[in-house]
Amino acid sequence: MSQATLLRLATAGSVDDGKSTLVGRLLYDSKSVLTDQLDAVERVSAAKGLGHVDLALLTDGLRAEREQGITIDVAYRYFATARRTFILADCPGHVQYTRNTVTGSSTADLLVLLVDVRKGVLEQTRRHLAVGQLLRVPTILIAVNKMDLAGYDQAAYESVAAQVLAVASELGVTGVTTIPVSALEGANIVERSARTPWYDGPSLLEFLEEAPAGAELPALPFRFPVQLSLRPQEAAKPEYREYRGYAGQIASGTVRVGDPVVVLPSGRRTTVAGIDTYDGPLDEAFAPQSVALRLADAIDVNRGDLIAAADGAPEPSQELTGLVSWLAERPLRAGTRVLVKHGTTTVQGIVRSLGGRLDLDSLSPVPTDTLDLNDIGRVHIRLSAPVASDDYTVSRRTGSFLLIDPQTGGTLAAGMVRGTTLFDEAAEAAETLNWSI
């Protein structure tokens, strides 16, 4: 499976905007539903007295499970067409599960946000747009759903589309695409519908098949988090006993034999002597390939180190400032001890201060002493060892981190490295925050 043909997408939207039906329609029309699953859905639909197959039943079972306590997991669905393979993160729409949208969107190339044409932009629509912008999801698609209940009226669609684009502009989101759809009747889902002759754009699936995916990774600066040092034991074949390589997945950028690199956090500089794979050596490799790098000099490199391009490498620091989406039931306060997982390294840290939280209703920052469940806020963390990270606006891969409970191992927050210049320093004195989403 090549990166060009794989698209990771997430779905979001308010409760009852038709997200489950849309996901079910995509699975059904792409023939990604097993026969026994479809038979069961048909039986339940008939028992409910429906005159049609309720495709929402294909996903509602897992949603019910999440509502009963599985509050972080996102249901992943897999389907394919003749042109592309998809991994779909099915995120719930309830307000208390906003954190699920963060989880599902964190690795997405595209976010499909549903809006009910009868209701327009709701509070949760604004939340999900804000999350998409904070996570720098490259493409956002707005599916204006339930057009069948509006008589496929062009004016109704254009009114809602204008509302969404206005909110997106307020958040600084650009390049948003809107499509009028009816997930229930399948209009503009797989094929363009004759019921919307006034719409001349692509169907939802056509848009998904053409959307860019992962194209930006090779163009970014080279970053290689080391997962494993490869040093064969004495029992290995004689020709391998002197082998010394470092295995991992290229997070971003491109590397070639002979390129100058730096090993962080030590700062030792060297050049790439070889690039090895299971299928043999390469002259060049790029993200997201998994390879083993051989270096020209004998440098002590361990799991958690970062091999980066010598020019423009990040500066290791024991101070980490960023935005976090708080995922835990207990609130976050200054002084909390955490584990910070960044790439392949995990270090101890202590939260020194909170710089405020984002009010997702007014889309403005407000001072706070705590971050509660689903809050998005600024934190400043002191680390026990230096970490080499990029700003999240530069790289989603090396600019993200997790906060972990050192006692239970549970995930506390998903974070994005963001520089202090994004905030007004007066926020530290509980003044009015001035931060940029």
Side-chain angles (χ1 to χ4, degrees):
M1 183 186 301
S2 68
Q3 185 72 5
T5 59
L6 172 64
L7 181 74
R8 298 177 181 271
L9 67 145
T11 58
S14 296
V15 178
D16 296 329
D17 275 355
K19 181 178 61 63
S20 290
T21 303
L22 177 70
V23 174
R25 173 63 64 181
L26 280 173
L27 296 174
Y28 178 77
D29 287 352
S30 63
K31 296 180 174 58
S32 301
V33 181
L34 298 177
T35 302
D36 57 343
Q37 290 177 312
L38 185 58
D39 289 342
V41 169
E42 290 175 342
R43 288 195 302 270
V44 174
S45 299
K48 294 169 64 176
L50 301 177
H52 61 276
V53 177
D54 186 1
L55 297 176
L57 295 174
L58 291 171
T59 59
D60 275 345
L62 280 179
R63 173 181 294 172
E65 293 177 7
R66 288 197 296 268
E67 291 174 354
Q68 293 173 27
I70 307 176
T71 57
I72 295 179
D73 288 347
V74 174
Y76 288 90
R77 305 288 181 172
Y78 306 86
F79 66 101
T81 67
R83 300 179 59 188
R84 195 165 220 175
T85 301
F86 301 90
I87 300 178
L88 187 152
D90 180 20
C91 309
H94 299 74
V95 173
Q96 62 266 39
Y97 296 127
T98 301
R99 58 185 177 181
N100 297 53
T101 304
V102 174
T103 303
S105 301
S106 61
T107 58
D109 301 304
L110 185 148
L111 175 64
V112 179
L113 178 57
L114 273 74
V115 179
D116 189 328
V117 69
R118 302 168 302 168
K119 301 175 182 177
V121 174
L122 300 176
E123 177 182 335
Q124 195 69 338
T125 310
R126 298 167 68 88
R127 281 192 172 92
H128 289 163
L129 273 173
V131 167
Q133 170 65 354
L134 284 169
L135 294 175
R136 289 297 191 269
V137 179
T139 305
I140 295 181
L141 172 63
I142 307 298
V144 182
N145 194 27
K146 302 190 179 181
M147 289 299 301
D148 54 303
L149 300 181
Y152 294 96
D153 180 60
Q154 180 180 2
Y157 161 71
E158 291 179 345
S159 174
V160 172
Q163 292 178 36
V164 175
L165 293 176
V167 175
S169 176
E170 185 179 353
L171 286 167
V173 183
T174 58
V176 177
T177 300
T178 63
I179 297 179
V181 302
S182 170
L184 181 64
E185 297 186 352
N188 291 332
I189 300 296
V190 174
E191 298 179 352
R192 303 180 204 187
S193 174
R195 297 184 180 93
T196 55
W198 40 266
Y199 172 71
D200 59 1
S203 69
L204 188 141
L205 187 58
E206 287 174 342
F207 185 90
L208 296 181
E209 288 180 329
E210 295 292 337
E216 78 286 355
L217 288 179
L220 294 174
F222 173 65
R223 302 289 186 264
F224 183 78
V226 176
Q227 295 182 10
L228 181 68
S229 294
L230 301 178
R231 299 171 185 173
Q233 303 299 314
E234 293 184 2
K237 294 181 180 180
E239 60 267 30
Y240 294 138
R241 289 178 184 171
E242 299 301 319
Y243 184 91
R244 182 187 293 255
Y246 308 100
Q249 184 183 47
I250 302 175
S252 63
T254 301
V255 63
R256 300 171 182 85
V257 174
D259 280 356
V261 294
V262 59
V263 178
L264 301 173
S266 68
R268 293 288 303 275
R269 292 176 177 263
T270 182
T271 58
V272 177
I275 305 171
D276 299 322
T277 70
Y278 178 82
D279 297 318
L282 300 174
D283 293 327
E284 177 185 79
F286 52 86
Q289 286 180 293
S290 294
V291 299
L293 298 184
R294 284 180 283 117
L295 303 180
D297 301 293
I299 298 176
D300 184 21
V301 182
N302 299 291
R303 174 181 172 84
D305 288 347
L306 181 72
I307 301 176
D311 294 333
E315 187 70 28
S317 174
Q318 289 185 247
E319 304 291 331
L320 182 65
T321 299
L323 303 179
V324 298
S325 177
W326 189 248
L327 309 177
E329 297 288 345
R330 62 182 179 88
L332 173 67
R333 295 182 173 86
T336 300
R337 294 186 178 275
V338 295
L339 295 178
V340 179
K341 179 173 177 56
H342 175 265
T344 55
T345 187
T346 301
V347 300
Q348 296 180 0
I350 184 170
V351 179
R352 297 185 60 183
S353 64
L354 302 180
R357 67 173 177 82
L358 179 65
D359 186 334
L360 290 173
D361 298 324
S362 64
L363 301 178
S364 60
V366 295
T368 186
D369 293 326
T370 63
L371 291 182
D372 297 314
L373 177 64
N374 290 326
D375 279 347
I376 296 173
R378 176 200 179 196
V379 297
H380 182 72
I381 304 172
R382 174 69 178 177
L383 305 176
S384 61
V387 167
S389 62
D390 289 294
D391 195 277
Y392 193 83
T393 58
V394 174
S395 173
R396 296 173 73 196
R397 296 289 300 277
T398 53
S400 58
F401 61 92
L402 293 176
L403 298 185
I404 299 171
D405 189 326
Q407 303 298 323
T408 66
T411 301
L412 298 175
M416 297 145 277
V417 180
R418 300 295 294 272
T420 56
T421 57
L422 295 172
F423 297 84
D424 192 299
E425 292 302 327
E428 300 293 344
E431 299 292 337
T432 303
L433 288 173
N434 179 24
W435 62 351
S436 170
I437 295 176

